[in-house]
């Protein structure tokens, strides 16, 4: 089922000019679209028709949302739904960010400790987006809840981000479940086996 255009319009209406996303995150999404639907789709989903941004610059979240919704629709059939497309966008975004210079400094700080990774998730997000509040609550030794407020992306996107972040620590049995709790609000149950 395609993305809901009314949902996209609500999210865009809630954004301000101060709400930005680093170009690296755009490029990760363009790469997924390009790999699965081709260059024409990557450029066609871009309001600028470029299919690329400068990694370290910030760009309006409105553009990111427009591209994400278009890209998810372009991948819907091949990925058996838009949720999987959003998950892929988030997973690639985290992998790209953690491989960047800033991301390598972050992973050097948290090491291969999954608890430190989840405890510092808010700092990781602040390195890539200018909006939102995020906090981590511990429910057990290998079980956390992350609470997001004023975040423009859908839960499957963040499930992909959090999965990729935990994968970099080398843990097994990663499970991430997300749900919307209100408009631009969501929660994520994150756990791993060891």
């Amino acid at each position: 089922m395609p993305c809901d255009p009314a949902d996209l319009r609500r999210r865009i209406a809630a954004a301000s000019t101060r709400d930005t996303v680093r170009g690296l995150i755009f490029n990760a999404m363009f790469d997924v679209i390009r790999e699965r639907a081709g260059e024409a789709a990557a450029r066609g989903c871009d309001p600028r028709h470029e299919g690329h941004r400068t990694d370290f610059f910030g760009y309006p979240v409105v553009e990111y949302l427009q591209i994400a919704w278009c890209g998810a629709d372009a991948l819907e059939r091949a990925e058996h739904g838009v949720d999987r497309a959003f998950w892929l966008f988030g997973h690639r975004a985290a992998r790209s960010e953690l491989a960047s210079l800033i991301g390598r400094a972050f992973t050097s700080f948290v090491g291969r400790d999954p608890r430190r990774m989840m405890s510092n998730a808010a700092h990781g997000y602040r390195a890539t987006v200018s909006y939102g509040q995020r906090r981590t609550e511990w429910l057990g030794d290998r079980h956390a809840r992350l609470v997001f407020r004023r975040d423009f992306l859908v839960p499957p996107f963040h499930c992909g981000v959090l999965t990729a972040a935990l994968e970099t620590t080398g843990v097994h049995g990663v499970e991430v479940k997300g749900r919307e709790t209100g408009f631009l609000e969501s929660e994520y149950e994150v756990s791993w086996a060891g």
Side-chain angles (χ1 to χ4, degrees), residues 21-25 27-28 52-59 100:
V21 179
R22 276 186 55 214
L24 180 109
I25 305 306
N27 291 334
H52 186 268
R53 297 293 186 275
T54 302
D55 279 352
F56 292 102
F57 291 178
Y59 298 92
S100 74

Side-chain angles (χ1 to χ4, degrees), residues 50-108:
E50 297 171 2
H52 186 268
R53 297 293 186 275
T54 302
D55 279 352
F56 292 102
F57 291 178
Y59 298 92
V61 71
V62 167
E63 284 183 19
Y64 190 86
L65 294 170
Q66 291 168 329
I67 298 163
W69 260 245
C70 178
D73 280 344
L75 301 185
E76 178 211 5
R77 185 171 300 214
E79 298 303 330
H80 307 291
V82 296
D83 284 355
R84 176 67 180 165
F86 280 116
W87 188 93
L88 290 168
F89 296 157
H91 193 266
R92 182 67 63 88
R95 283 180 46 210
S96 295
E97 176 61 26
L98 291 171
S100 74
L101 184 61
I102 292 171
R104 288 194 307 270
F106 177 74
T107 53
S108 170

Side-chain angles (χ1 to χ4, degrees), residues 120-134:
N120 288 285
H123 298 296
Y125 273 93
R126 272 197 293 273
T128 60
V129 299
S130 67
Y131 56 81
Q133 300 87 42
R134 296 155 193 91

